[in-house]
């Protein structure tokens, strides 16, 4: 699947350029995303790719930034950002305006994040190599709060992404504890009236609905925003909690929930 980077080029122009070279593209519910049906060459090795005209990612992974819907004037935080698929998508939705603070713990993965930000011509993003569990102290001490936050949490993965996936119950519970901690931090950093989108590419209830139930029980200052599975051409349904969403195979599994900070 390709997401056309509308910061640099129109979807029509990318379509025309690739189709001239024999690539067969299929439309999706997003006018700037196309399914690659057939390509005579690797779609990640074209001049158009290197020019930053498009990003390769699953259609499911485009849904969290769409649901977060950051605006041009927003001050946004991407808590777990590398390699930057969703950061660069947020920048595209914001038309390169406002500000995104993109945090990533891994020094190694920061390289890919920076390279994607540069390749796609993203100009509104500050990259921070830090652990959100520590960086939050700096933000809170300086009264820095955000309008929109994306928490695309580290998770145990899924079998579509990783054919050799072999995770134990213990691994899943470890992820779940970390996800709850990160979600609580994200909500502390939201402005009153701000929105946070929580997503994972895991199918495990412990990493998804259980994390949302935990936080709704723990905090009184938030409410779950009810989402509808309105996206065409993708296997998306309501999650086990009303108003949350789940994408199922054959699409890349994803879980998505949106929370509003009330006060
Ligand atoms: C699911 S991936 C993010 C994918 C990214 N949002 C995208 O769309 O390209 C989760 C990322 O969170 C990072 N991470 C894990 N724990 C973190 C923490 N405590 N603070 C900041 N980043 C963290 C991981 O290194 C990993 O790169």
């Amino acid at each position: 699947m390709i997401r056309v980077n509308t910061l640099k080029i129109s979807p029509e122009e990318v379509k025309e350029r690739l189709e001239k070279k024999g690539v067969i593209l299929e439309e999706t519910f997003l006018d700037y995303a196309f399914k690659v049906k057939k390509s005579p060459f690797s779609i990640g090795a074209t001049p158009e790719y290197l020019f930053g005209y498009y990003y390769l990612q699953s259609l499911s992974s485009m849904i969290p930034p769409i649901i977060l819907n950051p605006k041009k004037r927003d001050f946004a935080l991407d808590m777990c950002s590398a390699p930057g698929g969703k950061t660069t998508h947020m920048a595209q939705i914001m038309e390169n305006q406002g500000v995104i603070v993109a945090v990533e713990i891994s020094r190694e993965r920061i390289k890919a994040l920076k390279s994607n930000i540069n390749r796609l011509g993203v100009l509104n993003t500050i990259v921070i190599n830090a652990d959100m569990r520590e960086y939050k102290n700096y933000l809170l001490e300086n009264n820095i709060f955000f309008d929109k936050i994306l928490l695309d949490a580290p998770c145990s993965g899924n079998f579509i992404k990783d054919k050799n996936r072999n995770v134990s119950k213990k691994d899943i519970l470890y992820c779940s504890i970390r996800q709850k901690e990160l979600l609580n931090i994200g909500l502390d950093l939201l402005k009153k009236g701000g929105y946070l989108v929580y997503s994972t590419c895991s199918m495990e209830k412990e990493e998804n609905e259980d994390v949302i139930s935990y936080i709704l029980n723990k905090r009184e200052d938030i409410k779950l925003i009810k989402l509808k599975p309105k996206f065409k051409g993708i296997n998306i349904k309501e999650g086990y909690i009303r108003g949350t969403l789940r994408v199922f195979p054959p699409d890349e599994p994803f879980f998505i929930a949106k929370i509003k900070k009330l006060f």
Side-chain angles (χ1 to χ4, degrees), residues 60-76:
S60 321
S61 71
M62 298 180 207
I63 296 176
I66 293 171
I67 286 176
L68 185 62
N69 194 20
K71 302 286 179 198
K72 281 189 208 173
R73 285 170 189 250
D74 276 348
F75 185 50

Side-chain angles (χ1 to χ4, degrees), residues 8 49-52 54-55 114-121:
K8 285 201 169 177
Y49 176 81
L50 297 173
F51 294 156
Y54 57 84
Y55 190 92
K114 280 190 182 165
S115 141
N116 282 322
I117 284 175
N118 289 333
R119 185 173 61 83
L120 274 76

Side-chain angles (χ1 to χ4, degrees), residues 55 78-87 103-106 109 130-133 150 152-155 161 178 182 201:
Y55 190 92
D78 188 348
M79 295 176 69
C80 295
S81 54
K86 299 183 191 69
T87 311
V103 181
E104 169 57 47
I105 194 171
S106 155
R109 287 171 67 92
D131 181 337
M132 257 327 293
R133 292 169 296 183
L150 178 69
D152 186 36
C155 69
K161 212 172 181 174
R178 193 168 49 164
L182 287 170
C201 67

Side-chain angles (χ1 to χ4, degrees), residues 58-221:
S58 70
L59 195 55
S60 321
S61 71
M62 298 180 207
I63 296 176
I66 293 171
I67 286 176
L68 185 62
N69 194 20
K71 302 286 179 198
K72 281 189 208 173
R73 285 170 189 250
D74 276 348
F75 185 50
L77 172 69
D78 188 348
M79 295 176 69
C80 295
S81 54
K86 299 183 191 69
T87 311
T88 56
H89 190 184
M90 281 162 69
Q92 171 173 346
I93 296 170
M94 293 163 85
E95 296 177 30
N96 241 345
Q97 295 180 51
V99 174
I100 303 173
V101 177
V103 181
E104 169 57 47
I105 194 171
S106 155
R107 193 179 277 267
E108 208 37 53
R109 287 171 67 92
I110 280 274
K111 291 180 196 159
L113 172 65
K114 280 190 182 165
S115 141
N116 282 322
I117 284 175
N118 289 333
R119 185 173 61 83
L120 274 76
V122 169
L123 300 172
N124 68 345
T125 299
I126 302 164
V127 173
I128 310 274
N129 183 196
D131 181 337
M132 257 327 293
R133 292 169 296 183
E134 290 161 14
Y135 186 56
K136 70 141 195 296
N137 296 323
Y138 168 83
L139 295 169
L140 292 173
E141 279 159 19
N142 289 283
N143 284 315
I144 300 172
F145 298 96
F146 297 87
D147 301 293
K148 303 274 163 68
I149 298 182
L150 178 69
L151 172 54
D152 186 36
C155 69
S156 70
N158 62 65
F159 65 91
I160 291 211
K161 212 172 181 174
D162 178 8
K163 297 271 178 278
N164 302 316
R165 180 175 182 271
N166 178 18
V167 295
S168 64
K169 200 78 188 166
K170 204 171 148 203
D171 299 329
I172 291 168
L173 291 176
Y174 172 78
C175 285
S176 180
I177 291 168
R178 193 168 49 164
Q179 288 152 347
K180 287 172 184 165
E181 189 182 0
L182 287 170
L183 181 53
N184 201 36
I185 291 170
L187 292 166
D188 284 343
L189 293 170
L190 259 190
K191 285 184 192 169
K192 175 184 164 192
Y195 292 92
L196 181 148
V197 166
Y198 175 81
S199 60
T200 78
C201 67
S202 158
M203 294 190 75
E204 312 296 337
K205 187 170 157 284
E206 291 86 345
E207 300 183 57
N208 298 320
E209 286 87 351
D210 289 1
V211 175
I212 299 302
S213 300
Y214 161 84
I215 211 75
L216 292 175
N217 283 328
K218 182 181 165 73
R219 302 183 66 126
E220 289 186 341
D221 59 346

